[in-house]
């Protein structure tokens, strides 16, 4: 046993030193019992034993039935019975290629296990006994072929010697001693004498090289026969032929020839194969017994046997036939008749789309059983895909990443692997491998539009979904699960008071009923975020526009808006057609139309302008007409359905107009009280602020202009105040003269060809009533009710001012259609002064207000002053131009004066 172990050890050492292709080689004898230790694979592969089970360490490849690995210890063990003769037949070298696979990361290790032969087979003969008929006339030296013994073992355990039992007539001639093709022949050593011994019994023993050796026997019976003293002889002892493996059945390969010098039956010969060692390859051929022609009798396969050796026997037909034999060596040449075979030994279930180049995806094995160039294979991936094939070891290949993967463009690849040999013509085979690409969160959610505009009708229900947002994320699973949130808020306090965004569905829900009059538009930003790691997001701006609905009646402005009041207007009996009676003003977020409702009065005497609301007479008042009229003005918007409001005016016809026009009568019901709406309060505050800013601006401009003018050399300051006119303490009495006259002329020019929609920034008319101390010069005739006995005022339709120094300002929106140009003057007067003598087209200072403002500009000045233009200061761009012109003229005069002095 110790000698056997030492021999095994030396065999392992020699095998390790001689192997060049594999880095690890193990050696084990055949017929080893299951569980036999082959070697410590984990140690030789430098793998951590503690990680083998977690990393899925296992044996793979076609020889997994014979070996297994203990994942606890990393030891390679025999799994099943190993029969060397079954695996490698009579090949001298017998080794199995084994593969070990470990994952996380995926890797492949290859090693070889050499199977050593044991002497487990004894030599044997195909038949237990052979009978030879030998003529007694046989000459010494004549040889007789004997069957070869067959031993399934190889090497030293194959047949090594033959031994013939002791006798006096025959000896044993052994050819190719020690070689696999060793054969034995029996040679006649001494002439036979049939009369002495007709039958000779012999025993042939075949012995192998085992220790102890094993043997097999063949019993030989020699029948001594008489006469036929010539032996058939072949032309040559060895014949050679070549045939391709795809040669059809019945094709001729070679012909052997022999002759016999005897005559008659003793000279007639026939051919046959000697196949006493049960060689199946011989059956692939046939021989014609008469002609000796050898033909193909079966399917030839170079990959199984590249050459066949046949022993041919020729025998005569004598009474005591004599025979001889020869060898025929037939070489089978290869034909490219085997396409490559592709086997997928391992394939990763998923590959990440961000996998780097050369990431291993799968392992392939490609085999081609042809020889030489017919067996050389080229492997590649068809089509343009981000993968390629790399040769790792002999006929082993790996599939690796060769480009950028993008799961959103291709979530899986059906790879067609083609293997082509180098034969003529080349043969190829294909195999389709499906590679799945796993998702990586590399795409942020995308909104369809960068800005979302939502139009919502006012007065909608609370909790309604006004819009459903959606964001597309090309990723999958959690990487594509999108949530929505508002990332900022504006001054309208959107979140929690106006709208809410459903984080999962993206629905925008209204939390209140919108009112266009309070909130017209608002915006906010929404962020869509996926659930990947790390998460990605994108933003969108959401603009919400509130659509107006006709839900507000037109609001009639003062003085006709007080609830429960009756308004009275007076007109003279001599009023002509077109006489201005009153003007109804109303505001709404729409175009308004004015009309008179049918009453029991003479409505044909009055008409109201459809767009401006001005009430005028259509003709002169005649005697048949009544002296009192009730006019009901209907103000209607253009909504669907239209809404309206009414105002009632009592018109009185006077025989002779009084000197002072009475204030508008307001009959307040005793039970109504004074009611101010919130709109009226806001109106008063806004108009008061506007007036205050306007007055401060005029005052500051006046001081600046006066100061700038007075600082010029040689100028006479018109803003100087005489000390004698100023009382002590700096106070100015109501009747004292200041000597300060301010002349202000403004031209408001505007032409309207058609009615315009009301402007939400200026909703109030210019014809509000108030008292004041302003003297106004008007052009043309458009009537406005005055105060303190003055009945009318003119509203000019075109500017006719001759003075080019007056400023021009476009009138505000509420002034009406025909109010195009106003000229007004600040002059002497006071609250206690008597009414002035008025020229046609003039109104007293008490009756004027600035359009768009309820305040009265009241500047009390010297009442006895003359209308001297030098005492006035004008404002406007033309005054500045006049000053520049005056300065230029003064410079020119000085220049001319200098020239005159030079001439003198």
């Amino acid at each position: 046993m110790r000698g056997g172990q030492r021999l095994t050890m030396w065999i392992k050492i020699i095998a390790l030193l001689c192997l060049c292709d594999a880095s690890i080689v193990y050696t084990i004898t055949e017929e080893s019992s299951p569980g036999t230790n082959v070697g410590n694979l984990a140690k030789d592969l430098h793998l951590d034993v503690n990680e083998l089970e977690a990393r899925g360490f296992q044996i793979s490849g076609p020889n997994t039935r014979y070996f297994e690995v203990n994942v606890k210890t990393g030891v390679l063990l025999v799994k099943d019975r190993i029969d060397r003769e079954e695996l490698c037949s009579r090949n001298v070298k017998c080794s199995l290629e084994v593969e070990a696979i470990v994952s996380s990361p995926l890797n492949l290790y290859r090693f070889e296990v050499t199977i050593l032969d044991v002497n487990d087979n004894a030599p044997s003969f195909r038949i237990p006994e052979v009978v030879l008929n030998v003529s007694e006339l046989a000459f010494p030296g004549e040889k007789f072929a004997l069957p070869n013994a067959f031993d399934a073992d190889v090497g030293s355990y194959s047949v090594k010697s033959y031994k013939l039992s002791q006798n006096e007539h025959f000896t044993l001639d052994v050819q190719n001693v020690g070689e696999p093709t060793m054969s034995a022949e029996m040679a006649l050593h001494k002439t036979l004498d049939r009369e002495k011994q007709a039958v000779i019994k012999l025993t042939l023993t075949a012995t192998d090289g085992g220790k102890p050796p094993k043997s097999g026997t063949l019993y030989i019976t020699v029948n001594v026969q008489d006469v036929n003293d010539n032996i058939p002889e072949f032309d040559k002892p060895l014949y050679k032929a070549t045939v391709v493996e795809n040669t059809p059945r019945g094709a001729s390969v070679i012909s052997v020839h022999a002759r016999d010098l005897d005559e008659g039956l003793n000279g007639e010969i026939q051919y046959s194969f000697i196949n006493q060692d049960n060689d199946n390859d011989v059956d692939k051929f046939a021989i014609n017994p008469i002609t000796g022609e050898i033909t193909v009798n079966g399917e030839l396969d170079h990959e199984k046997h590249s050459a066949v050796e046949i022993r041919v026997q020729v025998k005569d037909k004598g009474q005591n036939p004599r025979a001889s034999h020869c060898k025929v060596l037939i070489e089978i040449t290869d034909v490219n008749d085997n396409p490559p075979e592709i086997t997928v030994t391992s394939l990763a279930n998923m590959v990440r789309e961000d996998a780097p180049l050369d990431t291993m995806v799968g392992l392939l094995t490609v085999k081609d059983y042809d020889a030489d160039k017919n067996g050389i294979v080229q492997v590649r991936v068809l089509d343009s895909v981000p993968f390629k094939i790399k040769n790792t070891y002999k006929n082993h290949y790996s599939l690796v990443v060769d480009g950028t993967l993008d799961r959103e463009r291709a979530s899986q690849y059906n790879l067609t692997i083609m293997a082509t040999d180098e034969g003529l013509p080349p043969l190829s085979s294909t195999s389709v491998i499906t590679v799945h690409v796993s998702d990586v969160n590399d795409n942020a959610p995308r909104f369809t539009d960068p800005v979302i505009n939502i139009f919502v009708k006012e007065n909608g229900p609370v909790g309604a979904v006004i819009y459903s947002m959606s964001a597309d994320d090309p990723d999958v699973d959690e990487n594509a699960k999108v949530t929505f949130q508002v990332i900022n808020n504006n001054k309208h306090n959107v979140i929690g008071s106006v709208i809410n965004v459903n984080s999962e569905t993206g629905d925008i829900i209204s939390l209140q009923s919108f009112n266009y009059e309070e909130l017209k538009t608002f915006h906010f930003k929404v962020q869509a975020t996926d659930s990947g790691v790390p998460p990605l997001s994108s933003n969108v701006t959401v603009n919400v526009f509130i659509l107006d609905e006709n839900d507000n009646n037109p609001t009639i402005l003062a003085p006709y808006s007080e609830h429960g009041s009756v308004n009275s207007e007076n007109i003279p009996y001599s009023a002509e057609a077109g006489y201005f009676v009153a003007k109804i003003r109303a505001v709404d977020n729409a175009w308004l139309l004015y009309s008179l409702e049918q009453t029991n009065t003479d409505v044909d005497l009055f008409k109201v302008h459809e767009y401006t609301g001005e009430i005028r007479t259509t003709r002169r008042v005649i005697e048949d007409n009544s002296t009192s009229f009730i006019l009901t003005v209907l103000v209607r918007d253009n909504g669907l359905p239209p809404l309206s409001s009414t105002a009632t005016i009592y018109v009185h016809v006077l025989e002779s107009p009084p000197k002072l026009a009475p204030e508008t009568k307001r009959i307040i019901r005793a039970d109504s009280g004074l009611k101010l709406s919130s709109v009226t309060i806001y109106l008063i505050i806004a108009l008061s602020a506007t007036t205050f800013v306007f007055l401060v601006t005029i005052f500051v401009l006046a001081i600046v202009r006066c100061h700038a003018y007075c600082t010029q050399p040689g100028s006479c300051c018109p803003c100087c105040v005489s000390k004698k006119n100023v009382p002590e303490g700096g106070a100015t009495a109501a009747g004292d003269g200041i000597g300060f006259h301010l002349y202000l002329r403004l031209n408001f020019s505007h032409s309207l060809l058609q009615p315009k929609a009301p402007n939400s920034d200026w909703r109030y008319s210019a014809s509000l009533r108030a008292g004041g101390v302003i003297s106004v010069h008007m052009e043309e005739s458009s009537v406005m009710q005055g105060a303190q006995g003055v009945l009318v005022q003119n509203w000019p339709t075109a500017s006719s001012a001759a003075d080019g120094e007056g400023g021009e300002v476009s009138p505000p929106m509420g002034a009406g259609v025909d109010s195009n140009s106003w000229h007004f003057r600040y002059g002497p007067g006071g609250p206690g002064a008597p009414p002035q003598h008025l020229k046609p087209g003039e109104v007293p200072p008490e009756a004027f207000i600035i359009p768009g403002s309820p305040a009265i500009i009241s500047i009390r000045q010297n009442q006895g002053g003359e209308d001297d233009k030098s005492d006035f200061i004008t404002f406007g761009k033309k005054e500045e131009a006049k000053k520049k012109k005056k300065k230029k003229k003064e410079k020119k005069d000085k220049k001319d004066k200098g020239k005159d002095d030079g001439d003198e």
Side-chain angles (χ1 to χ4, degrees), residues 9 60 179 203 275 297 323 367 427 591 623 637 667 764 841 876:
M9 181 184 69
S60 66
E179 297 182 6
T203 301
N275 190 20
N297 192 40
K367 290 184 178 180
L427 299 179
W591 286 5
E623 296 180 356
D637 59 27
I667 304 175
Y764 310 110

Side-chain angles (χ1 to χ4, degrees), residues 106 114 390:
L106 178 65
T114 301
K390 292 179 64 176

Side-chain angles (χ1 to χ4, degrees), residues 690-707:
T690 305
T691 303
F692 177 75
V693 173
F694 180 75
L695 292 176
V696 171
T697 303
I698 292 177
F699 184 71
V700 172
L701 288 175
I703 294 175
V704 172
R705 297 287 294 178
C706 288
H707 181 268

Side-chain angles (χ1 to χ4, degrees), residues 79-354:
K79 182 180 179 181
D80 196 3
R81 173 180 175 270
I82 301 175
D83 188 352
R84 184 187 182 283
E85 287 73 24
E86 180 182 351
L87 293 175
C88 303
S89 186
R90 297 184 183 181
N91 294 331
V92 176
K93 179 182 177 182
C94 182
S95 61
L96 299 179
E97 291 185 0
V98 186
E99 299 171 354
I101 295 179
V102 64
S103 59
S104 301
L106 178 65
N107 207 341
L108 175 69
Y109 302 94
R110 299 182 180 86
F111 57 95
E112 291 184 3
V113 179
T114 301
I115 309 302
L116 299 179
D117 193 18
V118 296
N119 193 21
D120 56 343
N121 294 284
S124 63
F125 293 89
R126 180 175 177 271
I127 54 178
E129 185 181 40
V130 64
V131 178
L132 299 176
N133 297 318
V134 181
S135 174
E136 64 178 348
L137 298 178
F139 297 99
E142 185 176 350
K143 297 180 179 180
F144 304 92
L146 299 176
N148 290 336
F150 173 79
D151 193 338
D153 297 325
V154 295
S156 61
Y157 299 131
S158 62
V159 177
K160 293 299 181 183
S161 62
Y162 289 95
K163 184 179 180 181
L164 188 63
S165 60
Q166 189 67 32
N167 67 90
E168 63 177 341
H169 296 284
F170 297 94
T171 59
L172 192 63
D173 184 12
V174 180
Q175 300 176 359
N176 301 329
V177 178
E179 297 182 6
T181 59
M182 184 177 61
S183 61
E185 295 179 343
M186 190 172 63
L188 183 60
H189 177 67
K190 185 180 179 181
T191 304
L192 299 176
D193 189 357
R194 183 180 178 279
E195 286 70 21
K196 290 182 179 181
Q197 189 178 3
V199 178
I200 302 174
K201 297 289 186 177
L202 302 173
T203 301
L204 179 63
T205 302
T207 306
D208 62 19
K211 294 182 179 181
K214 294 185 178 181
S215 61
T217 58
L218 174 67
Y219 298 101
I220 302 173
T221 301
V222 179
N223 296 321
V224 181
Q225 295 181 348
D226 199 14
V227 199
N228 198 9
D229 53 354
N230 289 295
I231 303 172
E233 293 182 356
F234 286 96
D235 294 342
K236 50 187 178 180
L238 178 63
Y239 292 85
K240 292 183 179 181
T242 301
V243 61
V244 294
E245 61 178 340
N246 61 348
T247 301
R249 187 187 297 268
S252 176
V253 179
I254 193 174
S255 295
V256 296
H257 183 264
R259 61 180 179 174
D260 192 333
L261 299 178
D262 294 328
E263 294 182 354
L265 294 177
N266 293 332
E268 293 181 6
I269 57 177
Q270 57 183 6
Y271 302 92
S272 62
F273 289 151
I274 301 175
N275 190 20
Q276 297 175 346
D277 58 355
N278 197 24
D279 191 352
N280 294 329
D281 294 335
V282 177
D283 296 337
K284 302 296 177 61
F285 299 92
I287 188 170
N288 190 314
I290 304 301
T291 63
E293 181 184 17
I294 300 175
T295 58
V296 177
N297 192 40
E299 183 179 353
L300 305 180
D301 192 348
H302 170 83
E303 288 70 37
K304 293 182 179 179
H305 298 92
S306 60
V308 177
E309 182 180 312
I310 303 176
R311 297 178 68 188
V312 179
Q313 175 180 269
V314 60
K315 183 186 293 185
D316 58 28
K317 296 181 179 180
Q319 184 177 1
N320 298 311
R322 305 181 69 177
S324 64
H325 64 278
C326 70
K327 291 182 180 180
V328 178
L329 182 60
I330 302 176
E331 181 184 0
I332 302 174
T333 59
D334 185 43
V335 174
N336 192 24
D337 57 348
N338 292 285
E341 295 180 0
I342 302 174
T343 303
V344 180
T345 58
S346 180
L347 183 65
N349 293 331
M350 286 285 183
V351 56
R352 290 170 57 91
E353 62 176 324
D354 60 349

